Each structure stands twice: as C-alpha cells, then as structure tokens.
Amino acid sequence: MFYREAGQFKSTYEADSAKFPIFQDKVFIWIYLAIGFFVIPYFGDEFFLGAIMIPFLVFTLAAIGLNILTGFTGQISLGTGAFMGVGAYACYKMTLAFPEVNILVFILLSGVFSALVGVFFGLPSLRIKGFYLVVTTLAAQFFLEWAFIRIPWLYNYNDSGAIEVPQREAFGVIVTGASASAEVRYLVCLAFVVIMTWFASNLISGRIGRQWMMIRDMDIAAELMGVRPLYAKLSAFAVSSFYCGVAGALMVFLWLGAAEVESFDYNHSFEILFMVILGGLGSLLGCFLGAAVIWILPVIIRDWLPPLVETLTTITITSSTADLVSDIIIGVMIVVFLIMEPHGLARLWAIIKQKLRVWPFPY
Amino acid sequence: MLKKMILGAASIAIAGSVYSTTPAFAEDTLYIPSLSYRTGPFAGAGTPIANGFADYFTMLNERDGGIGGAKIVLEECETAYNAQKGVECYEATKGNGALAYNPYSTGITLQLIPKAPVDKIPVLSMGYGLSAAAIGDKFPWTFNYPASYWSQMSSILQYIDANSEGGIKGKKIGFIYLDVGYGKEPIPLLEQLAPEMGFEWVGFPVGVKEMQAQGATWLNVRKERPDWMVAWSFGAMTPTAVKEAAKIRFPMDKFVGNWWSGAHADLEPVGAAGKGYKAANFSGIGTDFPALQDVLKYVVDAGKSQADKDDVGKVNYNRGLFNAVIMAEAVRAAQKATGKTAITGEDMRLGLESFVLDEARLKEIGLEGFTAPITASCADHEGAGSIFIQQWDGSDWNRISDLIPPMTDVVKPLLQEAADKYVSEQTDWQTQDCG
C-alpha cells in the first residue's frame, strides 16, 4: 500500500536509472530532509542536538568514508580513527594560520590533507589484500597516533598536548567554539552530510564507483577488462580518507570542542567498522542506520534506563550500571544481528521494503 | 528509510520525555553533577573518588540538612574516562542548574573550559587539568585548587633538594611520565628549573599502550643512573613502574610520584616490594578526623554509601571528599555573599573566588591538619596550596614530611605565559580584571 507502484511508468532511460525510481521514495526523501533541516533544529533541545544528532551525523560521515573503501572497494581498513585525526589537526593548523578565512572552507580542505595521507598509506594495497592490508592500515593508525603526540607543531606546542577549537565564523554566524549554538552546529553538520552523501551516491553509480566494485568483486578480472588497479584502489583510498578527514574536522570543531590523541585512537576505527558492518557493507543507507544503532542506542539506554527502572520497580540503577548494561545490550545486538542478518540493517530494510511493495496482497 | 524515520521519531519522543521525568528541583536545593568513572580503564581511581565526593555531601545532608538550609542533590553521570561521554554527561546535566563541574579527567576538563563562560557554570579541576587556569584574570571560570601540576613539581624538587646529600645541585633527576598531555605538562618547568637549581634531568616517556610493559624503559633508567626518579603516572602505570624499579633495585626511597601516582589502589598490588616509595599528596590519610568520623557515622554505617567501610580514609577517597569540601565551602561563601540559599553557577563562581579555608575553618569543619590552608582569590585560582610527601610502608601510606609550599616566584611567570598563549589563540575570550 505504501509502495504501490501501479501506474508509475518509465518512458526514458533517465527515469529508469534514477536514484529513487519509485515516486514514494522521492516523496519520503524530501520529507526526511524537511524533518532534518526544519523540524529537528526547531524542536530539539541542546542535549538532543549536541549529544545525539551531531555525533550521529559525524559518525555517519565517517562510516560513509569507510564504506567507500571497505564496502564498495573491498579494502578493509583499521585506520579510520587516525584519518579523522589528520583532518582535525589539519583544520586546526589552517584556521590558526588564517583565522579570518571561513571555517567551512577549512573543514572541506582538511579532507584534502587526509586524502593525501590516505593515498600514501593506501600504497601497500596494490600488493597485498585481506588480513595483510588490515595490518598495514593498523600500522598507519599507530604511526599517526604517534605523530599526533610526538610532533608538537601539530598541536601548536600547547602544554596540554591537546587541540583547542577557537571561535570561528562562517557568513557572519559563529560556527565553532563554545558560543556557537547547537542549532547552527547541527545544521552545518547536516549540510555537510547531505551534500557529501549525495556526492558519494553519484560517485558510486558512476564510472569510478563501478571500477571500485569491479575491484571488490574480482580484481584480476577487473584488471583484464581494463580497470587499472592503481587508480581504482588509490582513488578509493583518497575519497574514503577525504570523507573521514572531513568527519574528523567536524567531530572536533562542531562537537567536542577540544581533542587529545585519545579521540582518534584505534577504538574509534573499530567503532566505525562496526557501524559499517552492522549497517550494511556497500550501502549508503546502511551508514546512517549503523551510526544510529551504535551511537544513539547506548545514549538512550544510559539516559533512560535508570529513571525507567526507578519508576517501574524499587531498584535503583546507578549511572555506571546503566553504562555497563548498554555495553552488554549493544554487544549482544551486534552478535544477534550478524547471525540473523549478516548483510546488515540495510538489507533488512530492503526486505521490509519488498514486503511493503506487495502488501497487503502478497501473491 | 522508514526505519530511520521511526528511529528518529522514537528518539524525539524520548528526548521529549526528558522534560517530564527530570525531577523538578525545589527552590532550596543545590544541584551538583558528579562526572564519575566507575567503569573503564581508570575505574580503580574513579570509584573511590566518586564515593568520597558523594559521601561528604550525603553527610552534610544528613547531619546539617544540607548547606545553609538547602539540600544538596548530587547526580552521578558515568563517563568511563571517555571524553565523548564526558560531553554527553555535560549536555545532559547542565540544564538542571548545575553549580560547578568536577570532571576528574584532563580531556573532559579541556573540553569544558571554553564552555564554562558561555553556560556560566564554573569548572573546578582539583589538582589536574590545565595548569594555566590558575591565572584568574585570564580564566575567570576555571579553578584548579589547591595547586597546579607545575606548583606540585616545584614542591617535589624542593623536597629532593632538602633530602639528598649536598642538595639537588649536580644531581640527576629521572622523570618517568605517561606520554600524553598530562605527563608532559611539567616538562617546561623542569627545563626552566634545571639550570637555576643546578640539576640535570632526563625524561622517560611511557606510551599509553606500554603502561604495563615498562621493561625497556627501566633498562634505560638503569643505564642513565639517575639519583632520583620522579613519576607522573596514572592508573596501571604506577604499580608497573614501582615493580620495575624494584626489579632493577632502584633505591625506592628516592622514587617520588605525583599525587595521582600514590593511591592505595596503586601500591596494594605491589605490596612489600614497593616499601619506601614516596608520593606527593594534598589530602590527609586515614579517618582520624572528626569530619570523616561523621561520614562513617551518618553515611557509611547507615548504608547510604557505595563505598566499603575499609575504603574510607584511603588516599583517593579522601581526595574526592576534599573536592566536596572545597565545593561546600564555595557554596557557603556564595550564599553569604548573595544572601540566597539556592545559588546559581554564577554565584558559585564568586564563591570559588572568595571562600576562606584557613586553619581555623579547617578545625571548625573537623579537618584540622587534613590539608594546607587555601585562600581563594580573584587573581589566583590555584591557591598555591602546599603538598606533603607520603611513604608506602609495604601495606599503608604514611605522611612523612611537613607541608612544602610551591616556588610561586618561578611557577607564576610560567603560568602567566601559558595563560597568555591560550588566550591569544581564542577570539572574544572573556577575561576579568582583578585589580
């Protein structure tokens, strides 16, 4: 009923190969965008925007970056956290050097630095794959973490060893620093995520994206058919790191406000890999779903379990217990999901959608 | 997509119900959030600190009915020593009328420093965080009583000077530190003081991943043969360092840790092997103080504490308790200055700048000899508190020195310089004129 396609005829190739071939999908996507841009900033309070939505968007962007590399090109990486760090440190150094420049320009540019570093650490992928590549990307993670501690120029010789986000403006509005309102920070994040998701989806369905997928499915066959692995693999590393770098800059500048090297450690690389696997490898929608489950669900459990249990029973749950419970629930969920639906939440949604298309008259 | 929408709608609904379930605080309460870490890698330190912090406020509620007639409402939020969860906790609690934040994590403190002037909630990072925050003119909203890391290091160096044959001149000091911002912070002071006091120093960084594998580091220590060792360690790094020092037969009474390297939890796993190891401290040891007896009587024995009775009086417990004492004294000062019982974060800031914790007041609140007197002021947010040295006797800590005041004349210019640098990187930074 929701997805009745009767009467929707495609008369051109463009219409047939559109991103959202079904009319209802087109409508829904505009509704989601309207909710994202108008409803949420209007109704969300500072906690909802600052502690739930902004991190969700940041992690979504990082997950898209990793998914381009792992889901679409088949190159597993454990260096995501460090590539995010490259973006954050690059953005910090640039904005300190040129304080009057629009910060949004630097957030985008920081992705370029991250892309360069990503290409460099992607070079081994031309020779090795699978577990061996995992090891070299993990080496990139450790090397970059080391660099963030040992090169004091990166954090401007601060005694604290941390980068502190200064107040910066874009188009006359304060975007970063403590005075920036949660609404502005959220809208900037959302704009980045929407535009970059749109760009990624076009990239993936275009010539470059098809090359990536050919490499993923069978690299020797792809090579025989004229795909150059050098360009395909390194462009995947570049684009992936670009997305991670922008996500890292957004994370520090629009969410955390200050960061030490721990904000980019390998735990984050794993966290984002979990988001991609749980959401669905090779699916952009999966990045959103994965980030939502891994980030938003624990926040909800941590904040809602203690008051809920207290009202329903006489037991008092401390916030540390709630934290442990949320870890347990998320862990169990990952295991259960991967057993029941190894292709992730995106696949689950595809099944639901297929059912909805014939509902209520399955034949 | 639909799923996303449902999820979004669910989270909006849940966010909406925040308002309905958050208890409406009555007029005369004092809301104090406690960013604790009872889980995660540093739970061993975080749990007793959170217990001591909570128990003192519970004791005030039970014994005196709160402070100035207003009950204290303490809410714990678990950060697991994770900076991201710290921000989440901050956002979740600040709207309830939080008086001040005590994050017990340098990472979280650094994130809160710029937010404090905007949200008008002061940050009290007691003996950690940004040393430069001691300069009150530049950091009106941040406090690090009773002393900054640099002040502490200068006191430790004076202790070494007084307790080695022929003074510190010509001696070699080994500095073993956790290779993050926290551990590297005293290095500028060492560089400044080494030529002035005539000692030589050599650094031994220990990466976070090598905290429990310091064999190679201590081989270097043996090669360098320092006369004294000073440690800036935390968590699992401390017992490992002490064990390794014992292994290379380093004279344990010439090994001094800072105040985060000398808790019971750090040395209990080492036991007798660590006998003689020293550490700095600023909060008294044991329960032989009237205030602690009250805590035992009204809170722990009454079953209102999460702490075991044995843990009361241990180093980290007392440190959390001392943190609560400073908070309570600041609340009192703020109440007196404003004439209100229920104060705000802004009033609390004034309180933190004006409370007086002198010998007489310490005796009055039942903590005579517990710590050095602190006089708060607008310009000096660290109070230049003195520290004492304690020694591990194989099963317990004992205080072995008098109070050692910091070398304010050396530390102050360095702090000023660091504060100026921090402020120069910020635009529209709010400072204050202390006259």
Side-chain angles (χ1 to χ4, degrees):
Chain A
M1 198 169 89
F2 292 117
Y3 269 101
R4 198 154 60 177
E5 292 161 72
Q8 296 185 30
F9 301 112
K10 313 279 184 334
S11 51
T12 59
Y13 281 118
E14 283 79 31
D16 197 39
S17 58
K19 276 266 116 65
F20 300 105
I22 305 171
F23 172 74
Q24 283 88 339
D25 269 346
K26 279 189 197 128
V27 174
F28 283 143
I29 199 78
W30 285 110
I31 292 176
Y32 299 143
L33 285 176
I35 292 175
F37 276 103
F38 302 110
V39 180
I40 290 179
Y42 189 76
F43 288 104
D45 63 351
E46 215 167 322
F47 173 71
F48 181 66
L49 293 177
I52 296 183
M53 288 314 289
I54 293 176
F56 161 67
L57 291 170
V58 166
F59 285 128
T60 301
L61 198 60
I64 290 174
L66 183 62
N67 216 340
I68 285 173
L69 192 61
T70 304
F72 290 101
T73 321
Q75 315 291 312
I76 304 172
S77 166
L78 281 179
T80 321
F83 294 138
M84 289 173 78
V86 172
Y89 280 89
C91 195
Y92 174 72
K93 284 309 284 186
M94 283 192 289
T95 193
L96 279 192
F98 306 101
E100 62 285 346
V101 178
N102 189 328
I103 186 70
L104 303 185
V105 174
F106 284 144
I107 291 178
L108 255 190
L109 267 183
S110 60
V112 176
F113 285 89
S114 190
L116 290 174
V117 175
V119 167
F120 179 75
F121 284 106
L123 285 173
S125 71
L126 301 173
R127 282 295 180 90
I128 52 181
K129 44 189 172 182
F131 282 119
Y132 303 95
L133 186 64
V134 172
V135 173
T136 60
T137 53
L138 198 59
Q141 169 78 39
F142 287 135
F143 172 76
L144 289 169
E145 271 185 45
W146 175 88
F148 297 149
I149 295 175
R150 289 301 172 85
I151 305 178
W153 177 80
L154 284 175
Y155 49 84
N156 211 25
Y157 304 96
N158 286 338
D159 294 316
S160 56
I163 50 176
E164 296 270 356
V165 173
Q167 180 175 315
R168 290 289 181 267
E169 298 181 355
F171 312 112
V173 182
I174 300 171
V175 174
T176 68
S179 309
S181 71
E183 287 84 3
V184 170
R185 290 183 289 134
Y186 164 76
L187 286 173
V188 169
C189 269
L190 184 66
F192 267 102
V193 170
V194 167
I195 293 170
M196 289 177 76
T197 309
W198 170 78
F199 185 75
S201 90
N202 280 323
L203 205 61
I204 285 159
S205 52
R207 186 176 58 88
I208 300 172
R210 287 164 197 231
Q211 289 187 353
W212 291 343
M213 286 184 261
M214 287 167 81
I215 291 284
R216 172 191 66 190
D217 293 341
M218 198 174 181
D219 52 352
I220 293 175
E223 207 175 341
L224 288 172
M225 288 157 95
V227 174
R228 299 169 72 179
L230 177 78
Y231 286 105
K233 283 183 178 174
L234 290 189
S235 65
F237 265 98
V239 174
S240 159
S241 310
F242 179 85
Y243 274 69
C244 293
V246 173
L250 289 177
M251 174 168 103
V252 175
F253 276 71
L254 298 182
W255 173 30
L256 297 178
E260 289 183 287
V261 70
E262 289 98 89
S263 300
F264 314 107
D265 65 2
Y266 59 93
N267 289 326
H268 288 83
S269 302
F270 280 108
E271 202 175 13
I272 291 158
L273 189 65
F274 292 151
M275 289 175 187
V276 169
I277 292 174
L278 194 68
L281 284 165
S283 157
L284 289 178
L285 171 66
C287 299
F288 285 85
L289 299 178
V293 169
I294 302 262
W295 180 260
I296 298 181
L297 203 64
V299 176
I300 291 173
I301 294 172
R302 277 200 293 272
D303 284 6
W304 296 106
L305 193 71
L308 194 73
V309 173
E310 227 161 283
T311 38
L312 295 181
T313 64
T314 52
I315 309 163
T316 310
I317 288 198
T318 60
S319 87
S320 50
T321 317
D323 191 53
L324 294 174
V325 169
S326 93
D327 281 355
I328 294 169
I329 293 179
I330 292 295
V332 169
M333 263 190 59
I334 291 177
V335 174
V336 170
F337 252 112
L338 289 186
I339 292 170
M340 286 168 55
E341 187 50 77
H343 297 289
L345 294 166
R347 174 86 189 125
L348 205 65
W349 164 240
I351 294 170
I352 294 171
K353 190 168 152 184
Q354 200 54 45
K355 292 231 163 86
L356 281 175
R357 283 166 94 161
V358 292
W359 188 83
F361 301 115
Y363 40 86
Chain B
M1 283 287 170
L2 186 71
K3 187 151 178 106
K4 189 180 135 206
M5 195 170 73
I6 294 168
L7 242 165
S11 45
I12 290 170
I14 285 163
S17 57
V18 169
Y19 293 110
S20 52
T21 52
T22 305
F25 298 117
E27 187 68 29
D28 52 347
T29 56
L30 303 158
Y31 176 76
I32 297 173
S34 164
L35 305 190
S36 61
Y37 41 99
R38 293 172 187 272
T39 67
F42 298 112
T47 309
I49 289 173
N51 286 338
F53 191 68
D55 289 356
Y56 186 72
F57 287 125
T58 316
M59 188 273 280
L60 289 181
N61 275 344
E62 298 291 319
R63 192 188 65 184
D64 310 338
I67 304 172
K71 283 253 183 205
I72 303 141
V73 178
L74 188 86
E75 189 181 357
E76 268 192 32
C77 187
E78 176 68 31
T79 68
Y81 204 76
N82 175 321
Q84 299 180 350
K85 282 188 193 168
V87 174
E88 184 194 319
C89 281
Y90 178 76
E91 298 283 352
T93 50
K94 76 170 184 191
N96 299 340
L99 294 186
Y101 279 90
N102 304 270
Y104 275 100
S105 143
T106 299
I108 299 173
T109 308
L110 291 174
Q111 290 171 342
L112 296 192
I113 286 172
K115 293 190 206 299
V118 179
D119 295 324
K120 308 232 174 294
I121 307 170
V123 175
L124 169 58
S125 52
M126 194 184 72
Y128 55 90
L130 193 69
S131 289
I135 305 298
D137 331 41
K138 295 283 159 44
F139 292 91
W141 291 90
T142 315
F143 300 83
N144 51 10
Y145 300 119
S148 65
Y149 284 134
W150 289 347
S151 296
Q152 172 181 214
M153 180 54 114
S154 73
S155 295
I156 292 176
L157 291 174
Q158 288 181 81
Y159 175 81
I160 293 174
D161 190 29
N163 288 279
S164 50
E165 272 174 53
I168 200 169
K169 207 173 173 80
K171 295 284 188 304
K172 192 178 204 176
I173 313 274
F175 176 55
I176 184 164
Y177 60 99
L178 188 61
D179 198 3
V180 294
Y182 149 71
K184 287 192 289 189
E185 194 150 335
I187 291 178
L189 187 83
L190 283 171
E191 277 168 353
Q192 168 104 9
L193 283 178
E196 280 178 28
M197 295 175 78
F199 64 89
E200 190 192 338
W201 76 278
V202 51
F204 302 101
V206 175
V208 176
K209 293 178 197 71
E210 290 90 48
M211 279 209 302
Q212 284 168 291
Q214 299 175 24
T217 311
W218 284 89
L219 279 180
N220 282 334
V221 173
R222 195 158 69 172
K223 204 171 70 192
E224 293 279 351
R225 298 182 161 278
D227 298 295
W228 285 78
M229 283 294 286
V230 177
W232 238 248
S233 59
F234 193 41
M237 178 175 162
T238 311
T240 315
V242 176
K243 276 182 206 158
E244 291 288 344
K247 216 184 270 175
I248 69 160
R249 291 174 215 276
F250 189 85
M252 208 51 89
D253 57 347
K254 297 205 162 166
F255 188 9
V256 190
N258 78 349
W259 55 56
W260 297 116
S261 317
H264 284 82
D266 296 329
L267 266 292
E268 270 159 7
V270 184
K275 193 173 169 191
Y277 172 73
K278 293 170 180 171
N281 195 357
F282 56 76
S283 45
I285 314 162
T287 54
D288 295 335
F289 302 95
L292 274 142
Q293 289 302 321
D294 281 348
V295 168
L296 283 171
K297 186 172 135 198
Y298 290 97
V299 186
V300 181
D301 290 341
K304 288 177 177 140
S305 169
Q306 291 192 52
D308 288 335
K309 198 168 178 180
D310 298 343
D311 290 337
V312 178
K314 288 189 173 177
V315 171
N316 274 336
Y317 183 93
N318 281 9
R319 187 150 313 149
L321 183 129
F322 181 44
N323 195 162
V325 170
I326 293 184
M327 290 284 290
E329 290 306 300
V331 169
R332 280 204 180 95
Q335 284 174 335
K336 212 165 130 193
T338 59
K340 295 186 280 187
T341 46
I343 56 168
T344 64
E346 273 183 285
D347 303 330
M348 185 68 180
R349 194 190 79 78
L350 293 177
L352 280 164
E353 278 189 347
S354 61
F355 72 91
V356 179
L357 196 61
D358 54 10
E359 302 278 3
R361 182 63 193 154
L362 279 170
K363 190 171 181 185
E364 209 177 321
I365 58 174
L367 289 171
E368 194 184 11
F370 185 82
T371 182
I374 304 173
T375 305
S377 74
C378 168
D380 183 5
H381 280 193
E382 65 162 331
S386 308
I387 57 161
F388 61 85
I389 301 290
Q390 58 182 12
Q391 190 168 29
W392 182 250
D393 67 3
S395 61
D396 202 0
W397 287 104
N398 297 300
R399 180 170 165 168
I400 56 161
S401 87
D402 289 331
L403 291 167
I404 309 167
M407 299 158 78
T408 318
D409 53 326
V410 184
V411 174
K412 260 281 133 61
L414 278 175
L415 289 171
Q416 191 73 48
E417 199 182 309
D420 288 342
K421 182 168 181 296
Y422 183 99
V423 172
S424 72
E425 282 179 18
Q426 307 287 330
T427 33
D428 297 336
W429 186 258
Q430 187 192 335
T431 56
Q432 65 176 353
D433 187 9
C434 289

